[in-house]
Amino acid sequence: MARRSDEVKKGVVRAPHRSLLKANGLTDEEISRPFIGIVSSANDIIPGHIHLDKIAEAVKTGVCLAGGTPLQFSTIGICDGIAMNHPGMKYSLPSREIIADSVELAVEAHRFDALVFIPNCDKIIPGMLMAAARINIPAIFVSGGPMLTGRYQGKEIDLISVFEAVGAVGAGKMTENELNKFESYACPSCGSCAGMFTANTMNCLTEAIGMGLPGNGTIPAPYSERIRLAKQAGMAIMNLLEKNITPDKILTKEAFRNALAVDMALGGSTNTVLHLAAIAHEAGVDFNLDMVDKISLSTPNLCKISPAGKHHLEDLYRAGGIMAVMAELNKGGHLDTSVLTATGKTLADNLKGIEAFDKEVIRPLDNPYSRTGGLAILFGNLAPDGAVVKQSAVAENMLVHSGPARVFDSEPEATDAILGGKINPGDVVVIRYEGPKGGPGMREMLTPTSALAGMGLDDKVALITDGRFSGGTRGAAIGHVSPEAQEGGPIASVREGDVIEIDIPNRKLNVRLSDNEIKGRLRDWRAPELKIKKGYLALYARMVSSAAKGAIIE
């Protein structure tokens, strides 16, 4: 059977190519086998990636066991936690497109037959999924796995505990010495941060959508089981290659709907809406915010993982993981189990005999945390194209709220006001010009939301933005407001003291102004100059779409 890699190694005319391959130490036997690209984002700066070299070695072992020749190359990666709350965060979301593009370039240039992707953190996972959909050769994912939960004085803590502790210090509720102990114990191992933040949500959804083997989302990073999973992924890719199971046969509309249902059951990060939209775009699958909200309205929230609750990824792993969540959802007909998966089998086959081990970590359908999903899409005169909120992490008293707007044209301005004690109970903090174009880069805003939580204001103050939030954000934090301020969206018309009305159960987000008043204000509005005028971000700002479309490059 002809293979893509034959184009770089077969026939007399490819003798120079084989010469170069032999320079790498490859034997004739290895050259004759299928070339399997091992796409790893291992590096020394991201805690979720410092061990990916070991995962890659295990994958290579699996590929060799099954008769392939593994050849590794790398992508960039950005740690959102380290990039948070300074200009570096502007580069995080845009890195997703660079990752997808770089994989495409390397794969198409070297004509790999199939791919094993090894990501672990926020933008790397969707960037690689976008690449897999775009290139459309057999592919499978095996992540580095979640970090173990930190413990301090008998209490479970994680990275978000440290962010919130900063607010507690600012409010005089914690000393700097206590903060130092918190930061030393919160992140005890390699892996993606221990809660249902963006990285772990995306790893779980990679499993749910069918591109990763069972266990991909929840087996803890330091466990030997993770190494065994990597070997199994290396062997599984050879099966996918033999059967010619390509991503377009897995990434169907039904698979995306399954992933959304799991997302709602988990109460995942709001960022998944951006990422699933971008992946669907590459896969040629229709995806819109109305579909997201319809699935949310019909899917129960079965899990309360940090920041929404006390559980962590370790607990979800022990309870049976994503397959157990899907088995429970399937009892209510919330999934299409006819879809094909990376196991080479259907989801129905994968779910046979699966049950949840802990009915508190994974609630049964007849006793959910709520009857609707963890995310909600809001519309109104402030967000005509939509906005996103993690409703499972909102205090009940804040699900419906109205209050005066406190308007800031950047995240640092808002953070200074919050930490300076200038925000009052009942206020609605508005942070604008932080969208895909306005930021540019649509940076996450974990610092202001965590500061509010640490100061005890997360159940008293709302925050809305055309930027986005970390998966670790909790409280009435509404992001992705579209159209963004930089494009003349209604959020650009809001003034200090305007009354903002939030009604999450009824999916409404409005400013108490007439349409004529909003239009009049916008007639006098002029778009500010882009904040960055050279380099990649300047190009990105000129080409990026609305958050409602996934902040894709158009």
mmCIF file with all atom_site columns, all heavy atoms in Angstrom, residues 403-427:
data_model
loop_
_atom_site.group_PDB
_atom_site.id
_atom_site.type_symbol
_atom_site.label_atom_id
_atom_site.label_alt_id
_atom_site.label_comp_id
_atom_site.label_asym_id
_atom_site.label_entity_id
_atom_site.label_seq_id
_atom_site.pdbx_PDB_ins_code
_atom_site.Cartn_x
_atom_site.Cartn_y
_atom_site.Cartn_z
_atom_site.occupancy
_atom_site.B_iso_or_equiv
_atom_site.pdbx_formal_charge
_atom_site.auth_seq_id
_atom_site.auth_comp_id
_atom_site.auth_asym_id
_atom_site.auth_atom_id
_atom_site.pdbx_PDB_model_num
ATOM 1   N N   . GLY A 1 403 ? -26.521 46.155 38.814 1.00 0.00 ? 403 GLY A N   1
ATOM 2   C CA  . GLY A 1 403 ? -25.700 47.078 39.583 1.00 0.00 ? 403 GLY A CA  1
ATOM 3   C C   . GLY A 1 403 ? -25.011 48.078 38.688 1.00 0.00 ? 403 GLY A C   1
ATOM 4   O O   . GLY A 1 403 ? -25.031 47.957 37.458 1.00 0.00 ? 403 GLY A O   1
ATOM 5   N N   . PRO A 1 404 ? -24.387 49.085 39.316 1.00 0.00 ? 404 PRO A N   1
ATOM 6   C CA  . PRO A 1 404 ? -23.734 50.144 38.544 1.00 0.00 ? 404 PRO A CA  1
ATOM 7   C C   . PRO A 1 404 ? -22.445 49.658 37.893 1.00 0.00 ? 404 PRO A C   1
ATOM 8   O O   . PRO A 1 404 ? -21.670 48.908 38.497 1.00 0.00 ? 404 PRO A O   1
ATOM 9   C CB  . PRO A 1 404 ? -23.439 51.212 39.595 1.00 0.00 ? 404 PRO A CB  1
ATOM 10  C CG  . PRO A 1 404 ? -23.314 50.445 40.882 1.00 0.00 ? 404 PRO A CG  1
ATOM 11  C CD  . PRO A 1 404 ? -24.290 49.312 40.775 1.00 0.00 ? 404 PRO A CD  1
ATOM 12  N N   . ALA A 1 405 ? -22.223 50.089 36.659 1.00 0.00 ? 405 ALA A N   1
ATOM 13  C CA  . ALA A 1 405 ? -21.012 49.735 35.941 1.00 0.00 ? 405 ALA A CA  1
ATOM 14  C C   . ALA A 1 405 ? -19.826 50.508 36.492 1.00 0.00 ? 405 ALA A C   1
ATOM 15  O O   . ALA A 1 405 ? -19.911 51.721 36.720 1.00 0.00 ? 405 ALA A O   1
ATOM 16  C CB  . ALA A 1 405 ? -21.170 50.024 34.455 1.00 0.00 ? 405 ALA A CB  1
ATOM 17  N N   . ARG A 1 406 ? -18.736 49.790 36.712 1.00 0.00 ? 406 ARG A N   1
ATOM 18  C CA  . ARG A 1 406 ? -17.452 50.410 37.031 1.00 0.00 ? 406 ARG A CA  1
ATOM 19  C C   . ARG A 1 406 ? -16.543 50.102 35.843 1.00 0.00 ? 406 ARG A C   1
ATOM 20  O O   . ARG A 1 406 ? -16.142 48.962 35.644 1.00 0.00 ? 406 ARG A O   1
ATOM 21  C CB  . ARG A 1 406 ? -16.882 49.825 38.318 1.00 0.00 ? 406 ARG A CB  1
ATOM 22  C CG  . ARG A 1 406 ? -17.831 49.964 39.518 1.00 0.00 ? 406 ARG A CG  1
ATOM 23  C CD  . ARG A 1 406 ? -18.085 51.443 39.876 1.00 0.00 ? 406 ARG A CD  1
ATOM 24  N NE  . ARG A 1 406 ? -16.838 52.146 40.057 1.00 0.00 ? 406 ARG A NE  1
ATOM 25  C CZ  . ARG A 1 406 ? -16.106 52.096 41.189 1.00 0.00 ? 406 ARG A CZ  1
ATOM 26  N NH1 . ARG A 1 406 ? -16.530 51.366 42.216 1.00 0.00 ? 406 ARG A NH1 1
ATOM 27  N NH2 . ARG A 1 406 ? -14.984 52.770 41.288 1.00 0.00 ? 406 ARG A NH2 1
ATOM 28  N N   . VAL A 1 407 ? -16.278 51.098 35.024 1.00 0.00 ? 407 VAL A N   1
ATOM 29  C CA  . VAL A 1 407 ? -15.734 50.878 33.688 1.00 0.00 ? 407 VAL A CA  1
ATOM 30  C C   . VAL A 1 407 ? -14.220 51.077 33.644 1.00 0.00 ? 407 VAL A C   1
ATOM 31  O O   . VAL A 1 407 ? -13.698 52.110 34.091 1.00 0.00 ? 407 VAL A O   1
ATOM 32  C CB  . VAL A 1 407 ? -16.410 51.817 32.673 1.00 0.00 ? 407 VAL A CB  1
ATOM 33  C CG1 . VAL A 1 407 ? -15.896 51.544 31.269 1.00 0.00 ? 407 VAL A CG1 1
ATOM 34  C CG2 . VAL A 1 407 ? -17.931 51.636 32.717 1.00 0.00 ? 407 VAL A CG2 1
ATOM 35  N N   . PHE A 1 408 ? -13.534 50.077 33.063 1.00 0.00 ? 408 PHE A N   1
ATOM 36  C CA  . PHE A 1 408 ? -12.081 50.124 32.918 1.00 0.00 ? 408 PHE A CA  1
ATOM 37  C C   . PHE A 1 408 ? -11.717 49.695 31.494 1.00 0.00 ? 408 PHE A C   1
ATOM 38  O O   . PHE A 1 408 ? -12.300 48.761 30.955 1.00 0.00 ? 408 PHE A O   1
ATOM 39  C CB  . PHE A 1 408 ? -11.412 49.195 33.932 1.00 0.00 ? 408 PHE A CB  1
ATOM 40  C CG  . PHE A 1 408 ? -11.791 49.521 35.352 1.00 0.00 ? 408 PHE A CG  1
ATOM 41  C CD1 . PHE A 1 408 ? -12.854 48.864 35.966 1.00 0.00 ? 408 PHE A CD1 1
ATOM 42  C CD2 . PHE A 1 408 ? -11.114 50.498 36.062 1.00 0.00 ? 408 PHE A CD2 1
ATOM 43  C CE1 . PHE A 1 408 ? -13.230 49.161 37.264 1.00 0.00 ? 408 PHE A CE1 1
ATOM 44  C CE2 . PHE A 1 408 ? -11.476 50.818 37.363 1.00 0.00 ? 408 PHE A CE2 1
ATOM 45  C CZ  . PHE A 1 408 ? -12.537 50.152 37.969 1.00 0.00 ? 408 PHE A CZ  1
ATOM 46  N N   . ASP A 1 409 ? -10.751 50.388 30.919 1.00 0.00 ? 409 ASP A N   1
ATOM 47  C CA  . ASP A 1 409 ? -10.358 50.111 29.534 1.00 0.00 ? 409 ASP A CA  1
ATOM 48  C C   . ASP A 1 409 ? -9.160  49.170 29.432 1.00 0.00 ? 409 ASP A C   1
ATOM 49  O O   . ASP A 1 409 ? -8.577  49.015 28.348 1.00 0.00 ? 409 ASP A O   1
ATOM 50  C CB  . ASP A 1 409 ? -10.067 51.421 28.798 1.00 0.00 ? 409 ASP A CB  1
ATOM 51  C CG  . ASP A 1 409 ? -11.350 52.190 28.486 1.00 0.00 ? 409 ASP A CG  1
ATOM 52  O OD1 . ASP A 1 409 ? -12.437 51.597 28.610 1.00 0.00 ? 409 ASP A OD1 1
ATOM 53  O OD2 . ASP A 1 409 ? -11.257 53.379 28.128 1.00 0.00 ? 409 ASP A OD2 1
ATOM 54  N N   . SER A 1 410 ? -8.799  48.527 30.537 1.00 0.00 ? 410 SER A N   1
ATOM 55  C CA  . SER A 1 410 ? -7.760  47.497 30.504 1.00 0.00 ? 410 SER A CA  1
ATOM 56  C C   . SER A 1 410 ? -7.833  46.683 31.784 1.00 0.00 ? 410 SER A C   1
ATOM 57  O O   . SER A 1 410 ? -8.378  47.148 32.798 1.00 0.00 ? 410 SER A O   1
ATOM 58  C CB  . SER A 1 410 ? -6.357  48.106 30.366 1.00 0.00 ? 410 SER A CB  1
ATOM 59  O OG  . SER A 1 410 ? -5.986  48.751 31.566 1.00 0.00 ? 410 SER A OG  1
ATOM 60  N N   . GLU A 1 411 ? -7.266  45.497 31.750 1.00 0.00 ? 411 GLU A N   1
ATOM 61  C CA  . GLU A 1 411 ? -7.227  44.648 32.947 1.00 0.00 ? 411 GLU A CA  1
ATOM 62  C C   . GLU A 1 411 ? -6.409  45.272 34.076 1.00 0.00 ? 411 GLU A C   1
ATOM 63  O O   . GLU A 1 411 ? -6.858  45.260 35.234 1.00 0.00 ? 411 GLU A O   1
ATOM 64  C CB  . GLU A 1 411 ? -6.672  43.266 32.598 1.00 0.00 ? 411 GLU A CB  1
ATOM 65  C CG  . GLU A 1 411 ? -6.581  42.345 33.812 1.00 0.00 ? 411 GLU A CG  1
ATOM 66  C CD  . GLU A 1 411 ? -5.745  41.105 33.563 1.00 0.00 ? 411 GLU A CD  1
ATOM 67  O OE1 . GLU A 1 411 ? -5.125  40.989 32.489 1.00 0.00 ? 411 GLU A OE1 1
ATOM 68  O OE2 . GLU A 1 411 ? -5.705  40.244 34.464 1.00 0.00 ? 411 GLU A OE2 1
ATOM 69  N N   . PRO A 1 412 ? -5.210  45.806 33.822 1.00 0.00 ? 412 PRO A N   1
ATOM 70  C CA  . PRO A 1 412 ? -4.432  46.368 34.930 1.00 0.00 ? 412 PRO A CA  1
ATOM 71  C C   . PRO A 1 412 ? -5.172  47.481 35.679 1.00 0.00 ? 412 PRO A C   1
ATOM 72  O O   . PRO A 1 412 ? -5.081  47.564 36.910 1.00 0.00 ? 412 PRO A O   1
ATOM 73  C CB  . PRO A 1 412 ? -3.165  46.907 34.245 1.00 0.00 ? 412 PRO A CB  1
ATOM 74  C CG  . PRO A 1 412 ? -3.018  46.040 33.027 1.00 0.00 ? 412 PRO A CG  1
ATOM 75  C CD  . PRO A 1 412 ? -4.417  45.785 32.562 1.00 0.00 ? 412 PRO A CD  1
ATOM 76  N N   . GLU A 1 413 ? -5.912  48.324 34.942 1.00 0.00 ? 413 GLU A N   1
ATOM 77  C CA  . GLU A 1 413 ? -6.678  49.382 35.610 1.00 0.00 ? 413 GLU A CA  1
ATOM 78  C C   . GLU A 1 413 ? -7.693  48.777 36.577 1.00 0.00 ? 413 GLU A C   1
ATOM 79  O O   . GLU A 1 413 ? -7.849  49.252 37.707 1.00 0.00 ? 413 GLU A O   1
ATOM 80  C CB  . GLU A 1 413 ? -7.419  50.239 34.576 1.00 0.00 ? 413 GLU A CB  1
ATOM 81  C CG  . GLU A 1 413 ? -6.551  51.122 33.713 1.00 0.00 ? 413 GLU A CG  1
ATOM 82  C CD  . GLU A 1 413 ? -7.392  51.882 32.682 1.00 0.00 ? 413 GLU A CD  1
ATOM 83  O OE1 . GLU A 1 413 ? -8.549  52.215 32.987 1.00 0.00 ? 413 GLU A OE1 1
ATOM 84  O OE2 . GLU A 1 413 ? -6.889  52.107 31.580 1.00 0.00 ? 413 GLU A OE2 1
ATOM 85  N N   . ALA A 1 414 ? -8.385  47.741 36.133 1.00 0.00 ? 414 ALA A N   1
ATOM 86  C CA  . ALA A 1 414 ? -9.398  47.107 36.973 1.00 0.00 ? 414 ALA A CA  1
ATOM 87  C C   . ALA A 1 414 ? -8.758  46.417 38.174 1.00 0.00 ? 414 ALA A C   1
ATOM 88  O O   . ALA A 1 414 ? -9.261  46.511 39.305 1.00 0.00 ? 414 ALA A O   1
ATOM 89  C CB  . ALA A 1 414 ? -10.194 46.097 36.150 1.00 0.00 ? 414 ALA A CB  1
ATOM 90  N N   . THR A 1 415 ? -7.646  45.736 37.963 1.00 0.00 ? 415 THR A N   1
ATOM 91  C CA  . THR A 1 415 ? -6.965  45.034 39.057 1.00 0.00 ? 415 THR A CA  1
ATOM 92  C C   . THR A 1 415 ? -6.502  46.009 40.124 1.00 0.00 ? 415 THR A C   1
ATOM 93  O O   . THR A 1 415 ? -6.662  45.766 41.330 1.00 0.00 ? 415 THR A O   1
ATOM 94  C CB  . THR A 1 415 ? -5.770  44.233 38.508 1.00 0.00 ? 415 THR A CB  1
ATOM 95  O OG1 . THR A 1 415 ? -6.240  43.280 37.551 1.00 0.00 ? 415 THR A OG1 1
ATOM 96  C CG2 . THR A 1 415 ? -5.037  43.509 39.633 1.00 0.00 ? 415 THR A CG2 1
ATOM 97  N N   . ASP A 1 416 ? -5.950  47.134 39.690 1.00 0.00 ? 416 ASP A N   1
ATOM 98  C CA  . ASP A 1 416 ? -5.503  48.155 40.647 1.00 0.00 ? 416 ASP A CA  1
ATOM 99  C C   . ASP A 1 416 ? -6.679  48.661 41.478 1.00 0.00 ? 416 ASP A C   1
ATOM 100 O O   . ASP A 1 416 ? -6.548  48.860 42.698 1.00 0.00 ? 416 ASP A O   1
ATOM 101 C CB  . ASP A 1 416 ? -4.840  49.326 39.919 1.00 0.00 ? 416 ASP A CB  1
ATOM 102 C CG  . ASP A 1 416 ? -3.477  48.958 39.334 1.00 0.00 ? 416 ASP A CG  1
ATOM 103 O OD1 . ASP A 1 416 ? -2.929  47.894 39.711 1.00 0.00 ? 416 ASP A OD1 1
ATOM 104 O OD2 . ASP A 1 416 ? -2.972  49.720 38.489 1.00 0.00 ? 416 ASP A OD2 1
ATOM 105 N N   . ALA A 1 417 ? -7.826  48.859 40.828 1.00 0.00 ? 417 ALA A N   1
ATOM 106 C CA  . ALA A 1 417 ? -9.002  49.347 41.548 1.00 0.00 ? 417 ALA A CA  1
ATOM 107 C C   . ALA A 1 417 ? -9.508  48.305 42.546 1.00 0.00 ? 417 ALA A C   1
ATOM 108 O O   . ALA A 1 417 ? -9.893  48.649 43.677 1.00 0.00 ? 417 ALA A O   1
ATOM 109 C CB  . ALA A 1 417 ? -10.102 49.711 40.558 1.00 0.00 ? 417 ALA A CB  1
ATOM 110 N N   . ILE A 1 418 ? -9.496  47.041 42.145 1.00 0.00 ? 418 ILE A N   1
ATOM 111 C CA  . ILE A 1 418 ? -9.966  45.976 43.042 1.00 0.00 ? 418 ILE A CA  1
ATOM 112 C C   . ILE A 1 418 ? -9.051  45.857 44.252 1.00 0.00 ? 418 ILE A C   1
ATOM 113 O O   . ILE A 1 418 ? -9.507  45.879 45.403 1.00 0.00 ? 418 ILE A O   1
ATOM 114 C CB  . ILE A 1 418 ? -10.058 44.630 42.285 1.00 0.00 ? 418 ILE A CB  1
ATOM 115 C CG1 . ILE A 1 418 ? -11.169 44.693 41.231 1.00 0.00 ? 418 ILE A CG1 1
ATOM 116 C CG2 . ILE A 1 418 ? -10.318 43.488 43.259 1.00 0.00 ? 418 ILE A CG2 1
ATOM 117 C CD1 . ILE A 1 418 ? -11.127 43.540 40.226 1.00 0.00 ? 418 ILE A CD1 1
ATOM 118 N N   . LEU A 1 419 ? -7.745  45.727 44.011 1.00 0.00 ? 419 LEU A N   1
ATOM 119 C CA  . LEU A 1 419 ? -6.801  45.577 45.111 1.00 0.00 ? 419 LEU A CA  1
ATOM 120 C C   . LEU A 1 419 ? -6.689  46.851 45.940 1.00 0.00 ? 419 LEU A C   1
ATOM 121 O O   . LEU A 1 419 ? -6.307  46.803 47.111 1.00 0.00 ? 419 LEU A O   1
ATOM 122 C CB  . LEU A 1 419 ? -5.428  45.171 44.566 1.00 0.00 ? 419 LEU A CB  1
ATOM 123 C CG  . LEU A 1 419 ? -5.356  43.766 43.932 1.00 0.00 ? 419 LEU A CG  1
ATOM 124 C CD1 . LEU A 1 419 ? -3.981  43.529 43.320 1.00 0.00 ? 419 LEU A CD1 1
ATOM 125 C CD2 . LEU A 1 419 ? -5.682  42.688 44.959 1.00 0.00 ? 419 LEU A CD2 1
ATOM 126 N N   . GLY A 1 420 ? -7.059  47.984 45.342 1.00 0.00 ? 420 GLY A N   1
ATOM 127 C CA  . GLY A 1 420 ? -7.032  49.255 46.063 1.00 0.00 ? 420 GLY A CA  1
ATOM 128 C C   . GLY A 1 420 ? -8.293  49.523 46.877 1.00 0.00 ? 420 GLY A C   1
ATOM 129 O O   . GLY A 1 420 ? -8.439  50.602 47.463 1.00 0.00 ? 420 GLY A O   1
ATOM 130 N N   . GLY A 1 421 ? -9.206  48.560 46.907 1.00 0.00 ? 421 GLY A N   1
ATOM 131 C CA  . GLY A 1 421 ? -10.417 48.698 47.712 1.00 0.00 ? 421 GLY A CA  1
ATOM 132 C C   . GLY A 1 421 ? -11.430 49.680 47.153 1.00 0.00 ? 421 GLY A C   1
ATOM 133 O O   . GLY A 1 421 ? -12.279 50.197 47.884 1.00 0.00 ? 421 GLY A O   1
ATOM 134 N N   . LYS A 1 422 ? -11.384 49.906 45.831 1.00 0.00 ? 422 LYS A N   1
ATOM 135 C CA  . LYS A 1 422 ? -12.278 50.894 45.217 1.00 0.00 ? 422 LYS A CA  1
ATOM 136 C C   . LYS A 1 422 ? -13.543 50.284 44.620 1.00 0.00 ? 422 LYS A C   1
ATOM 137 O O   . LYS A 1 422 ? -14.363 51.005 44.044 1.00 0.00 ? 422 LYS A O   1
ATOM 138 C CB  . LYS A 1 422 ? -11.516 51.664 44.133 1.00 0.00 ? 422 LYS A CB  1
ATOM 139 C CG  . LYS A 1 422 ? -10.334 52.462 44.690 1.00 0.00 ? 422 LYS A CG  1
ATOM 140 C CD  . LYS A 1 422 ? -9.550  53.149 43.580 1.00 0.00 ? 422 LYS A CD  1
ATOM 141 C CE  . LYS A 1 422 ? -8.349  53.891 44.155 1.00 0.00 ? 422 LYS A CE  1
ATOM 142 N NZ  . LYS A 1 422 ? -7.531  54.544 43.089 1.00 0.00 ? 422 LYS A NZ  1
ATOM 143 N N   . ILE A 1 423 ? -13.697 48.966 44.734 1.00 0.00 ? 423 ILE A N   1
ATOM 144 C CA  . ILE A 1 423 ? -14.883 48.289 44.209 1.00 0.00 ? 423 ILE A CA  1
ATOM 145 C C   . ILE A 1 423 ? -15.794 47.928 45.380 1.00 0.00 ? 423 ILE A C   1
ATOM 146 O O   . ILE A 1 423 ? -15.338 47.380 46.397 1.00 0.00 ? 423 ILE A O   1
ATOM 147 C CB  . ILE A 1 423 ? -14.502 47.028 43.418 1.00 0.00 ? 423 ILE A CB  1
ATOM 148 C CG1 . ILE A 1 423 ? -13.570 47.390 42.256 1.00 0.00 ? 423 ILE A CG1 1
ATOM 149 C CG2 . ILE A 1 423 ? -15.746 46.320 42.904 1.00 0.00 ? 423 ILE A CG2 1
ATOM 150 C CD1 . ILE A 1 423 ? -14.143 48.386 41.261 1.00 0.00 ? 423 ILE A CD1 1
ATOM 151 N N   . ASN A 1 424 ? -17.083 48.227 45.230 1.00 0.00 ? 424 ASN A N   1
ATOM 152 C CA  . ASN A 1 424 ? -18.032 48.047 46.319 1.00 0.00 ? 424 ASN A CA  1
ATOM 153 C C   . ASN A 1 424 ? -18.996 46.899 46.042 1.00 0.00 ? 424 ASN A C   1
ATOM 154 O O   . ASN A 1 424 ? -19.262 46.564 44.877 1.00 0.00 ? 424 ASN A O   1
ATOM 155 C CB  . ASN A 1 424 ? -18.835 49.341 46.510 1.00 0.00 ? 424 ASN A CB  1
ATOM 156 C CG  . ASN A 1 424 ? -17.948 50.537 46.744 1.00 0.00 ? 424 ASN A CG  1
ATOM 157 O OD1 . ASN A 1 424 ? -17.076 50.516 47.614 1.00 0.00 ? 424 ASN A OD1 1
ATOM 158 N ND2 . ASN A 1 424 ? -18.159 51.603 45.964 1.00 0.00 ? 424 ASN A ND2 1
ATOM 159 N N   . PRO A 1 425 ? -19.534 46.280 47.091 1.00 0.00 ? 425 PRO A N   1
ATOM 160 C CA  . PRO A 1 425 ? -20.557 45.251 46.882 1.00 0.00 ? 425 PRO A CA  1
ATOM 161 C C   . PRO A 1 425 ? -21.689 45.769 45.997 1.00 0.00 ? 425 PRO A C   1
ATOM 162 O O   . PRO A 1 425 ? -22.139 46.907 46.161 1.00 0.00 ? 425 PRO A O   1
ATOM 163 C CB  . PRO A 1 425 ? -21.046 44.955 48.298 1.00 0.00 ? 425 PRO A CB  1
ATOM 164 C CG  . PRO A 1 425 ? -19.881 45.281 49.180 1.00 0.00 ? 425 PRO A CG  1
ATOM 165 C CD  . PRO A 1 425 ? -19.227 46.477 48.527 1.00 0.00 ? 425 PRO A CD  1
ATOM 166 N N   . GLY A 1 426 ? -22.093 44.952 45.039 1.00 0.00 ? 426 GLY A N   1
ATOM 167 C CA  . GLY A 1 426 ? -23.158 45.342 44.113 1.00 0.00 ? 426 GLY A CA  1
ATOM 168 C C   . GLY A 1 426 ? -22.652 45.863 42.791 1.00 0.00 ? 426 GLY A C   1
ATOM 169 O O   . GLY A 1 426 ? -23.405 45.884 41.799 1.00 0.00 ? 426 GLY A O   1
ATOM 170 N N   . ASP A 1 427 ? -21.389 46.286 42.735 1.00 0.00 ? 427 ASP A N   1
ATOM 171 C CA  . ASP A 1 427 ? -20.837 46.829 41.491 1.00 0.00 ? 427 ASP A CA  1
ATOM 172 C C   . ASP A 1 427 ? -20.751 45.759 40.405 1.00 0.00 ? 427 ASP A C   1
ATOM 173 O O   . ASP A 1 427 ? -20.650 44.563 40.683 1.00 0.00 ? 427 ASP A O   1
ATOM 174 C CB  . ASP A 1 427 ? -19.426 47.389 41.724 1.00 0.00 ? 427 ASP A CB  1
ATOM 175 C CG  . ASP A 1 427 ? -19.425 48.718 42.471 1.00 0.00 ? 427 ASP A CG  1
ATOM 176 O OD1 . ASP A 1 427 ? -20.509 49.310 42.630 1.00 0.00 ? 427 ASP A OD1 1
ATOM 177 O OD2 . ASP A 1 427 ? -18.332 49.145 42.911 1.00 0.00 ? 427 ASP A OD2 1
#
